[in-house]
Amino acid sequence: MAMSDTLKAISDPVRRQILELLRSQSYAAGEIASHFELKPATVSYHLKLLKQAGLITERKDKNFIYYDLTASVFEEVLSWIYSLKLGGDHDEQK
Amino acid sequence: MAMSDTLKAISDPVRRQILELLRSQSYAAGEIASHFELKPATVSYHLKLLKQAGLITERKDKNFIYYDLTASVFEEVLSWIYSLKLGGDHDEQK
DNA sequence: ATTCTATTTAGAAAATAATCGAAATAGAGT
DNA sequence: ACTCTATTTCGATTATTTTCTAAATAGAAT
């Protein structure tokens, strides 16, 4: 999970709204989709990117797929931003 | 400068490398460009986006334009990420 | 087994972003 | 005034991303 993917993931407004939605509780894909004026397929695409970036996880129940936020991944991003802010050493990322 | 612009700005690898370069000291546009295999016009385009996002500032000297990092803007981003990580209330952003 | 319902995948179209070459700007040095 | 040098802006091109429709998958319910 390169941080490049994480930053790319949070650079889109729709995906950020999804993350903010999941902040309070988990939702099934369809429930998430209903919060947007987008087709389910499109939301599914965004969920895939968020999943690939490690920002959310999925959990299947009946024929629903629930999504949850993964708090831990934000550490990396925080770390990178801090390094710029404070000027310390930090690894490059691709 | 909406945070949307900031996140968009740091989502590109070239722009992140520019930020990391400026972490240690300020550089003129041409010096920045020479660190990449990109034409000056292209780097200028990236600098413009970083400037619009409030991540860097420019300062003219002779016929050079020097760029500097703006540490303060990172606060917003940190704040947003923390809000997800910790689950507190936070404003929407567009 | 068939038919719902929920969701994803595949492929195409539309929208956005990155790159370049050429022309424009601006100030420095002659 | 002219000519360098540094950088940006403009317009066109290419590449990437987002969105959609239609078809595929999978499990639940009848």
PDB file of all heavy atoms in Angstrom, chain B residues 14-37:
ATOM      1  N   VAL B  14       5.001  14.200  -8.702  1.00  0.00           N
ATOM      2  CA  VAL B  14       5.942  15.269  -9.066  1.00  0.00           C
ATOM      3  C   VAL B  14       5.821  16.414  -8.066  1.00  0.00           C
ATOM      4  O   VAL B  14       6.823  16.922  -7.558  1.00  0.00           O
ATOM      5  CB  VAL B  14       5.681  15.789 -10.496  1.00  0.00           C
ATOM      6  CG1 VAL B  14       6.484  17.055 -10.754  1.00  0.00           C
ATOM      7  CG2 VAL B  14       6.009  14.721 -11.523  1.00  0.00           C
ATOM      8  N   ARG B  15       4.594  16.786  -7.775  1.00  0.00           N
ATOM      9  CA  ARG B  15       4.412  17.899  -6.841  1.00  0.00           C
ATOM     10  C   ARG B  15       4.896  17.549  -5.442  1.00  0.00           C
ATOM     11  O   ARG B  15       5.450  18.391  -4.741  1.00  0.00           O
ATOM     12  CB  ARG B  15       2.945  18.328  -6.837  1.00  0.00           C
ATOM     13  CG  ARG B  15       2.550  19.014  -8.140  1.00  0.00           C
ATOM     14  CD  ARG B  15       1.201  19.691  -8.050  1.00  0.00           C
ATOM     15  NE  ARG B  15       0.076  18.798  -7.949  1.00  0.00           N
ATOM     16  CZ  ARG B  15      -0.585  18.300  -9.003  1.00  0.00           C
ATOM     17  NH1 ARG B  15      -0.220  18.623 -10.237  1.00  0.00           N
ATOM     18  NH2 ARG B  15      -1.613  17.506  -8.829  1.00  0.00           N
ATOM     19  N   ARG B  16       4.730  16.308  -5.052  1.00  0.00           N
ATOM     20  CA  ARG B  16       5.254  15.922  -3.738  1.00  0.00           C
ATOM     21  C   ARG B  16       6.766  16.016  -3.710  1.00  0.00           C
ATOM     22  O   ARG B  16       7.355  16.481  -2.742  1.00  0.00           O
ATOM     23  CB  ARG B  16       4.814  14.501  -3.379  1.00  0.00           C
ATOM     24  CG  ARG B  16       3.378  14.425  -2.903  1.00  0.00           C
ATOM     25  CD  ARG B  16       3.126  13.167  -2.095  1.00  0.00           C
ATOM     26  NE  ARG B  16       3.412  11.955  -2.835  1.00  0.00           N
ATOM     27  CZ  ARG B  16       2.579  11.404  -3.717  1.00  0.00           C
ATOM     28  NH1 ARG B  16       1.418  11.965  -3.977  1.00  0.00           N
ATOM     29  NH2 ARG B  16       2.911  10.301  -4.344  1.00  0.00           N
ATOM     30  N   GLN B  17       7.405  15.627  -4.815  1.00  0.00           N
ATOM     31  CA  GLN B  17       8.859  15.716  -4.863  1.00  0.00           C
ATOM     32  C   GLN B  17       9.316  17.168  -4.804  1.00  0.00           C
ATOM     33  O   GLN B  17      10.339  17.485  -4.209  1.00  0.00           O
ATOM     34  CB  GLN B  17       9.398  15.047  -6.129  1.00  0.00           C
ATOM     35  CG  GLN B  17       9.483  13.539  -5.994  1.00  0.00           C
ATOM     36  CD  GLN B  17      10.064  12.886  -7.236  1.00  0.00           C
ATOM     37  OE1 GLN B  17       9.336  12.262  -7.985  1.00  0.00           O
ATOM     38  NE2 GLN B  17      11.355  13.058  -7.478  1.00  0.00           N
ATOM     39  N   ILE B  18       8.547  18.046  -5.422  1.00  0.00           N
ATOM     40  CA  ILE B  18       8.883  19.467  -5.366  1.00  0.00           C
ATOM     41  C   ILE B  18       8.810  19.944  -3.916  1.00  0.00           C
ATOM     42  O   ILE B  18       9.703  20.643  -3.426  1.00  0.00           O
ATOM     43  CB  ILE B  18       7.934  20.300  -6.251  1.00  0.00           C
ATOM     44  CG1 ILE B  18       8.179  19.988  -7.736  1.00  0.00           C
ATOM     45  CG2 ILE B  18       8.123  21.792  -5.989  1.00  0.00           C
ATOM     46  CD1 ILE B  18       7.210  20.661  -8.690  1.00  0.00           C
ATOM     47  N   LEU B  19       7.760  19.544  -3.218  1.00  0.00           N
ATOM     48  CA  LEU B  19       7.611  19.945  -1.813  1.00  0.00           C
ATOM     49  C   LEU B  19       8.773  19.425  -0.976  1.00  0.00           C
ATOM     50  O   LEU B  19       9.322  20.143  -0.141  1.00  0.00           O
ATOM     51  CB  LEU B  19       6.285  19.417  -1.247  1.00  0.00           C
ATOM     52  CG  LEU B  19       5.004  20.037  -1.814  1.00  0.00           C
ATOM     53  CD1 LEU B  19       3.787  19.332  -1.245  1.00  0.00           C
ATOM     54  CD2 LEU B  19       4.945  21.528  -1.528  1.00  0.00           C
ATOM     55  N   GLU B  20       9.154  18.175  -1.255  1.00  0.00           N
ATOM     56  CA  GLU B  20      10.245  17.590  -0.483  1.00  0.00           C
ATOM     57  C   GLU B  20      11.568  18.291  -0.776  1.00  0.00           C
ATOM     58  O   GLU B  20      12.415  18.436   0.098  1.00  0.00           O
ATOM     59  CB  GLU B  20      10.335  16.088  -0.769  1.00  0.00           C
ATOM     60  CG  GLU B  20       9.202  15.341  -0.065  1.00  0.00           C
ATOM     61  CD  GLU B  20       9.020  13.917  -0.550  1.00  0.00           C
ATOM     62  OE1 GLU B  20       9.768  13.475  -1.446  1.00  0.00           O
ATOM     63  OE2 GLU B  20       8.100  13.237  -0.028  1.00  0.00           O
ATOM     64  N   LEU B  21      11.705  18.727  -2.018  1.00  0.00           N
ATOM     65  CA  LEU B  21      12.911  19.462  -2.405  1.00  0.00           C
ATOM     66  C   LEU B  21      12.989  20.785  -1.645  1.00  0.00           C
ATOM     67  O   LEU B  21      14.034  21.173  -1.121  1.00  0.00           O
ATOM     68  CB  LEU B  21      12.851  19.729  -3.909  1.00  0.00           C
ATOM     69  CG  LEU B  21      14.094  20.257  -4.609  1.00  0.00           C
ATOM     70  CD1 LEU B  21      15.229  19.255  -4.499  1.00  0.00           C
ATOM     71  CD2 LEU B  21      13.780  20.533  -6.071  1.00  0.00           C
ATOM     72  N   LEU B  22      11.862  21.462  -1.581  1.00  0.00           N
ATOM     73  CA  LEU B  22      11.816  22.777  -0.931  1.00  0.00           C
ATOM     74  C   LEU B  22      11.886  22.694   0.593  1.00  0.00           C
ATOM     75  O   LEU B  22      12.001  23.720   1.260  1.00  0.00           O
ATOM     76  CB  LEU B  22      10.539  23.515  -1.347  1.00  0.00           C
ATOM     77  CG  LEU B  22      10.435  23.898  -2.828  1.00  0.00           C
ATOM     78  CD1 LEU B  22       9.093  24.534  -3.118  1.00  0.00           C
ATOM     79  CD2 LEU B  22      11.565  24.853  -3.208  1.00  0.00           C
ATOM     80  N   ARG B  23      11.779  21.485   1.095  1.00  0.00           N
ATOM     81  CA  ARG B  23      11.825  21.305   2.542  1.00  0.00           C
ATOM     82  C   ARG B  23      13.154  21.826   3.108  1.00  0.00           C
ATOM     83  O   ARG B  23      13.182  22.465   4.149  1.00  0.00           O
ATOM     84  CB  ARG B  23      11.676  19.818   2.855  1.00  0.00           C
ATOM     85  CG  ARG B  23      11.302  19.508   4.263  1.00  0.00           C
ATOM     86  CD  ARG B  23      10.976  18.033   4.387  1.00  0.00           C
ATOM     87  NE  ARG B  23      12.035  17.209   3.790  1.00  0.00           N
ATOM     88  CZ  ARG B  23      11.939  15.892   3.640  1.00  0.00           C
ATOM     89  NH1 ARG B  23      10.848  15.264   4.006  1.00  0.00           N
ATOM     90  NH2 ARG B  23      12.921  15.205   3.112  1.00  0.00           N
ATOM     91  N   SER B  24      14.233  21.548   2.382  1.00  0.00           N
ATOM     92  CA  SER B  24      15.547  21.956   2.886  1.00  0.00           C
ATOM     93  C   SER B  24      15.895  23.414   2.615  1.00  0.00           C
ATOM     94  O   SER B  24      16.531  24.078   3.417  1.00  0.00           O
ATOM     95  CB  SER B  24      16.626  21.048   2.302  1.00  0.00           C
ATOM     96  OG  SER B  24      16.473  20.960   0.894  1.00  0.00           O
ATOM     97  N   GLN B  25      15.485  23.948   1.460  1.00  0.00           N
ATOM     98  CA  GLN B  25      15.815  25.325   1.119  1.00  0.00           C
ATOM     99  C   GLN B  25      14.956  25.788  -0.041  1.00  0.00           C
ATOM    100  O   GLN B  25      14.298  24.977  -0.668  1.00  0.00           O
ATOM    101  CB  GLN B  25      17.286  25.436   0.733  1.00  0.00           C
ATOM    102  CG  GLN B  25      17.590  24.678  -0.543  1.00  0.00           C
ATOM    103  CD  GLN B  25      19.033  24.849  -0.997  1.00  0.00           C
ATOM    104  OE1 GLN B  25      19.913  24.091  -0.606  1.00  0.00           O
ATOM    105  NE2 GLN B  25      19.261  25.853  -1.823  1.00  0.00           N
ATOM    106  N   SER B  26      14.989  27.071  -0.348  1.00  0.00           N
ATOM    107  CA  SER B  26      14.223  27.535  -1.497  1.00  0.00           C
ATOM    108  C   SER B  26      15.064  27.412  -2.764  1.00  0.00           C
ATOM    109  O   SER B  26      16.295  27.465  -2.730  1.00  0.00           O
ATOM    110  CB  SER B  26      13.742  28.960  -1.282  1.00  0.00           C
ATOM    111  OG  SER B  26      14.807  29.809  -0.987  1.00  0.00           O
ATOM    112  N   TYR B  27      14.370  27.224  -3.875  1.00  0.00           N
ATOM    113  CA  TYR B  27      15.026  27.076  -5.168  1.00  0.00           C
ATOM    114  C   TYR B  27      14.310  27.935  -6.195  1.00  0.00           C
ATOM    115  O   TYR B  27      13.106  28.178  -6.060  1.00  0.00           O
ATOM    116  CB  TYR B  27      14.951  25.631  -5.645  1.00  0.00           C
ATOM    117  CG  TYR B  27      15.870  24.680  -4.932  1.00  0.00           C
ATOM    118  CD1 TYR B  27      15.399  23.884  -3.891  1.00  0.00           C
ATOM    119  CD2 TYR B  27      17.203  24.556  -5.322  1.00  0.00           C
ATOM    120  CE1 TYR B  27      16.237  22.995  -3.229  1.00  0.00           C
ATOM    121  CE2 TYR B  27      18.050  23.664  -4.671  1.00  0.00           C
ATOM    122  CZ  TYR B  27      17.564  22.897  -3.627  1.00  0.00           C
ATOM    123  OH  TYR B  27      18.400  22.005  -2.985  1.00  0.00           O
ATOM    124  N   ALA B  28      15.039  28.331  -7.227  1.00  0.00           N
ATOM    125  CA  ALA B  28      14.426  29.055  -8.338  1.00  0.00           C
ATOM    126  C   ALA B  28      13.712  28.038  -9.218  1.00  0.00           C
ATOM    127  O   ALA B  28      14.050  26.849  -9.211  1.00  0.00           O
ATOM    128  CB  ALA B  28      15.479  29.791  -9.132  1.00  0.00           C
ATOM    129  N   ALA B  29      12.745  28.510  -9.976  1.00  0.00           N
ATOM    130  CA  ALA B  29      11.960  27.628 -10.843  1.00  0.00           C
ATOM    131  C   ALA B  29      12.840  26.739 -11.715  1.00  0.00           C
ATOM    132  O   ALA B  29      12.601  25.539 -11.834  1.00  0.00           O
ATOM    133  CB  ALA B  29      11.018  28.460 -11.704  1.00  0.00           C
ATOM    134  N   GLY B  30      13.862  27.332 -12.315  1.00  0.00           N
ATOM    135  CA  GLY B  30      14.742  26.576 -13.195  1.00  0.00           C
ATOM    136  C   GLY B  30      15.495  25.480 -12.471  1.00  0.00           C
ATOM    137  O   GLY B  30      15.661  24.374 -12.997  1.00  0.00           O
ATOM    138  N   GLU B  31      15.918  25.772 -11.255  1.00  0.00           N
ATOM    139  CA  GLU B  31      16.624  24.762 -10.463  1.00  0.00           C
ATOM    140  C   GLU B  31      15.688  23.606 -10.151  1.00  0.00           C
ATOM    141  O   GLU B  31      16.079  22.447 -10.205  1.00  0.00           O
ATOM    142  CB  GLU B  31      17.118  25.384  -9.153  1.00  0.00           C
ATOM    143  CG  GLU B  31      18.152  26.467  -9.349  1.00  0.00           C
ATOM    144  CD  GLU B  31      18.539  27.142  -8.023  1.00  0.00           C
ATOM    145  OE1 GLU B  31      17.645  27.655  -7.311  1.00  0.00           O
ATOM    146  OE2 GLU B  31      19.733  27.145  -7.710  1.00  0.00           O
ATOM    147  N   ILE B  32      14.469  23.950  -9.817  1.00  0.00           N
ATOM    148  CA  ILE B  32      13.481  22.907  -9.536  1.00  0.00           C
ATOM    149  C   ILE B  32      13.285  22.045 -10.777  1.00  0.00           C
ATOM    150  O   ILE B  32      13.325  20.820 -10.714  1.00  0.00           O
ATOM    151  CB  ILE B  32      12.137  23.522  -9.096  1.00  0.00           C
ATOM    152  CG1 ILE B  32      12.320  24.276  -7.778  1.00  0.00           C
ATOM    153  CG2 ILE B  32      11.079  22.443  -8.945  1.00  0.00           C
ATOM    154  CD1 ILE B  32      11.112  25.087  -7.351  1.00  0.00           C
ATOM    155  N   ALA B  33      13.110  22.709 -11.912  1.00  0.00           N
ATOM    156  CA  ALA B  33      12.879  21.992 -13.166  1.00  0.00           C
ATOM    157  C   ALA B  33      14.020  21.028 -13.476  1.00  0.00           C
ATOM    158  O   ALA B  33      13.797  19.921 -13.962  1.00  0.00           O
ATOM    159  CB  ALA B  33      12.681  22.980 -14.309  1.00  0.00           C
ATOM    160  N   SER B  34      15.259  21.446 -13.174  1.00  0.00           N
ATOM    161  CA  SER B  34      16.419  20.618 -13.512  1.00  0.00           C
ATOM    162  C   SER B  34      16.466  19.319 -12.702  1.00  0.00           C
ATOM    163  O   SER B  34      17.205  18.412 -13.041  1.00  0.00           O
ATOM    164  CB  SER B  34      17.703  21.416 -13.314  1.00  0.00           C
ATOM    165  OG  SER B  34      17.918  21.644 -11.947  1.00  0.00           O
ATOM    166  N   HIS B  35      15.657  19.251 -11.649  1.00  0.00           N
ATOM    167  CA  HIS B  35      15.608  18.013 -10.877  1.00  0.00           C
ATOM    168  C   HIS B  35      14.695  16.978 -11.517  1.00  0.00           C
ATOM    169  O   HIS B  35      14.602  15.853 -11.046  1.00  0.00           O
ATOM    170  CB  HIS B  35      15.097  18.280  -9.459  1.00  0.00           C
ATOM    171  CG  HIS B  35      16.149  18.817  -8.546  1.00  0.00           C
ATOM    172  ND1 HIS B  35      16.507  20.145  -8.536  1.00  0.00           N
ATOM    173  CD2 HIS B  35      16.947  18.207  -7.634  1.00  0.00           C
ATOM    174  CE1 HIS B  35      17.465  20.321  -7.628  1.00  0.00           C
ATOM    175  NE2 HIS B  35      17.740  19.168  -7.072  1.00  0.00           N
ATOM    176  N   PHE B  36      14.001  17.378 -12.568  1.00  0.00           N
ATOM    177  CA  PHE B  36      13.051  16.456 -13.194  1.00  0.00           C
ATOM    178  C   PHE B  36      13.325  16.320 -14.679  1.00  0.00           C
ATOM    179  O   PHE B  36      13.951  17.189 -15.283  1.00  0.00           O
ATOM    180  CB  PHE B  36      11.622  16.978 -13.006  1.00  0.00           C
ATOM    181  CG  PHE B  36      11.212  17.083 -11.571  1.00  0.00           C
ATOM    182  CD1 PHE B  36      11.408  18.261 -10.862  1.00  0.00           C
ATOM    183  CD2 PHE B  36      10.643  16.000 -10.919  1.00  0.00           C
ATOM    184  CE1 PHE B  36      11.038  18.358  -9.526  1.00  0.00           C
ATOM    185  CE2 PHE B  36      10.269  16.095  -9.586  1.00  0.00           C
ATOM    186  CZ  PHE B  36      10.473  17.267  -8.890  1.00  0.00           C
ATOM    187  N   GLU B  37      12.836  15.261 -15.261  1.00  0.00           N
ATOM    188  CA  GLU B  37      12.958  15.088 -16.708  1.00  0.00           C
ATOM    189  C   GLU B  37      11.695  15.636 -17.356  1.00  0.00           C
ATOM    190  O   GLU B  37      10.988  14.956 -18.085  1.00  0.00           O
ATOM    191  CB  GLU B  37      13.168  13.618 -17.048  1.00  0.00           C
ATOM    192  CG  GLU B  37      14.470  13.089 -16.515  1.00  0.00           C
ATOM    193  CD  GLU B  37      14.785  11.693 -17.025  1.00  0.00           C
ATOM    194  OE1 GLU B  37      13.838  10.989 -17.423  1.00  0.00           O
ATOM    195  OE2 GLU B  37      15.982  11.323 -17.025  1.00  0.00           O
TER     196      GLU B  37
END
